[in-house]
Amino acid sequence: MAYTGLVGTPEPGDTVILNVSALARGLGTGGFALVVVLPEALPADPPPAPGHLVKDRYSPTQTMVLGVDDQESEHHATLAQATGIDGMPVLVADLHSALPAILAGIRAEDPELRVAYAMTDGAALPLPFSQAVAGLQEAGWLADTLSVGQAWGGDHEAVTVHSALLAARHVAGADITIVSQGPGNLGTGTPFGFSGMVVGDHLDAAALLGGLPVAVARMSNADARGRHFGISHHTLTAVGRGARPGCTVPLPDLATLPDSVAAACDPDPRIVAEALASQRAELAAHTLVDVELDGLFEALEGSPVRLSTMGRGLTADAASFLSAAAAGRWAARALAG
């Protein structure tokens, strides 16, 4: 894999120097041979351009970009004055794989809503790594993308989640913004050692700016790891313990799932109902809302990009995608009043 904006465009026969560390370890997401340099075909120096934000800082592949609120940006004056996001719903998810499912839920209620995506730097740093984002933008499901922190490559570049949310509202004109890390979630199996722990911080940022913080519950009905069955410990920790009280946590009302849909899934997503009922107490500091599921499975089937979480598709882990879609549905309804 070559990021051509950084290293140029390799041609057949070119000598390349590769980073194969993740490939050699057999990792899933990120297990690629990455082109570091074309030593015999170096790209031309970029022409002078505005912008002084350095991302992926002090690594050999650091890149300089124009920040949306950079002093040289046409939007600097707007963002220098902006202090809030006018009640905009901000859906914060742990996993990148939730993005298309959230959008399916939003569009099931109102396909005309303008939705932005802020990709944080907990996983992949280059936004172009995400095939899902490319497909969602091509299909018109995503209006704008913002790369946050050390991440780069979005339609707009932001320094913090706060500035990304302000830009989503006042520059991109978003009705709703979705925040999540890029592909490649990092976890160690310890209570706080996972990159999604920042979900709590991002929900707090949305609240601070006068938005409507909505936590997307990470769920699974197929993950063999007990800590992720039902509501994942990532959500129970990052939202239940890490976020300030007062967020909204939509949860899928599995009792409203049609029998025909459940029969099409293996395993049946309703098997998490008992676990979910007992886990709700760990999110008691927030407002839990049950969202009916009628039509959401069909909306998910209409996604323009492949639905996949930890290698499992829609029918193999339906609870995961239904939970994200339920959050999207709830946020769209909140806008409608």
Side-chain angles (χ1 to χ4, degrees), residues 91-93 95 97-110 141 176 178 214-219 249-254 257 289-303 307 314 317-334:
L91 293 123
V92 183
L95 297 180
S97 58
L99 177 62
I102 296 168
L103 285 164
I106 293 171
R107 292 177 62 84
E109 292 299 311
D110 187 348
W141 279 35
I176 295 175
I178 301 167
V214 183
V216 180
R218 176 178 172 180
M219 294 180 59
V249 186
L251 295 173
D253 184 354
L254 294 169
L257 189 69
V289 290
D290 296 308
V291 180
E292 77 278 6
L293 301 178
D294 58 293
L296 284 188
F297 189 84
E298 292 77 10
L300 289 164
E301 288 183 309
S303 171
L307 298 176
L314 176 57
D317 200 347
S320 173
F321 303 107
L322 288 168
S323 178
R329 165 173 276 178
W330 185 89
R333 288 178 175 176

Side-chain angles (χ1 to χ4, degrees), residues 130-336:
S130 174
Q131 295 179 335
V133 167
L136 292 166
Q137 285 200 285
E138 183 178 353
W141 279 35
L142 267 182
D144 199 270
T145 60
L146 307 100
S147 34
V148 179
Q150 302 291 340
W152 55 268
D155 297 320
H156 295 99
E157 302 283 356
V159 178
T160 65
V161 168
H162 303 75
S163 58
L165 293 177
L166 289 165
R169 183 62 172 172
H170 299 289
V171 174
D175 299 305
I176 295 175
T177 297
I178 301 167
V179 179
S180 81
Q181 60 187 329
N185 176 64
L186 175 63
T188 64
T190 59
F192 295 98
F194 60 98
S195 53
M197 188 63 203
V198 293
V199 163
D201 298 334
H202 299 160
L203 290 165
D204 291 348
L208 175 68
L209 294 173
L212 180 59
V214 183
V216 180
R218 176 178 172 180
M219 294 180 59
S220 177
N221 60 263
D223 201 312
R225 299 167 296 177
R227 65 184 184 275
H228 293 302
F229 186 78
I231 304 175
S232 168
H233 89 94
H234 283 193
T235 294
L236 298 176
T237 304
V239 179
R241 301 178 64 183
R244 294 180 180 179
C247 300
T248 299
V249 186
L251 295 173
D253 184 354
L254 294 169
T256 66
L257 189 69
D259 290 338
S260 58
V261 171
C265 301
D266 184 21
D268 186 332
R270 296 175 298 189
I271 64 174
V272 302
E274 184 176 350
L276 194 157
S278 65
Q279 292 165 329
R280 294 170 71 101
E282 297 185 57
L283 298 170
H286 306 289
T287 301
L288 307 184
V289 290
D290 296 308
V291 180
E292 77 278 6
L293 301 178
D294 58 293
L296 284 188
F297 189 84
E298 292 77 10
L300 289 164
E301 288 183 309
S303 171
V305 300
R306 183 172 64 96
L307 298 176
S308 178
T309 183
M310 303 296 169
R312 298 184 294 272
L314 176 57
T315 57
D317 200 347
S320 173
F321 303 107
L322 288 168
S323 178
R329 165 173 276 178
W330 185 89
R333 288 178 175 176
L335 275 180

Side-chain angles (χ1 to χ4, degrees), residues 66-130:
L66 175 65
V68 66
D69 54 354
D70 205 317
Q71 288 91 335
E72 298 165 282
S73 167
E74 63 179 310
H75 306 299
H76 177 76
T78 296
L79 294 175
Q81 300 292 326
T83 58
I85 55 177
D86 308 322
M88 178 179 68
V90 177
L91 293 123
V92 183
D94 175 24
L95 297 180
H96 188 72
S97 58
L99 177 62
I102 296 168
L103 285 164
I106 293 171
R107 292 177 62 84
E109 292 299 311
D110 187 348
E112 300 303 316
L113 290 174
R114 187 172 175 83
V115 184
Y117 169 55
M119 192 185 91
T120 62
D121 56 9
L125 298 185
L127 188 142
F129 180 72
S130 174

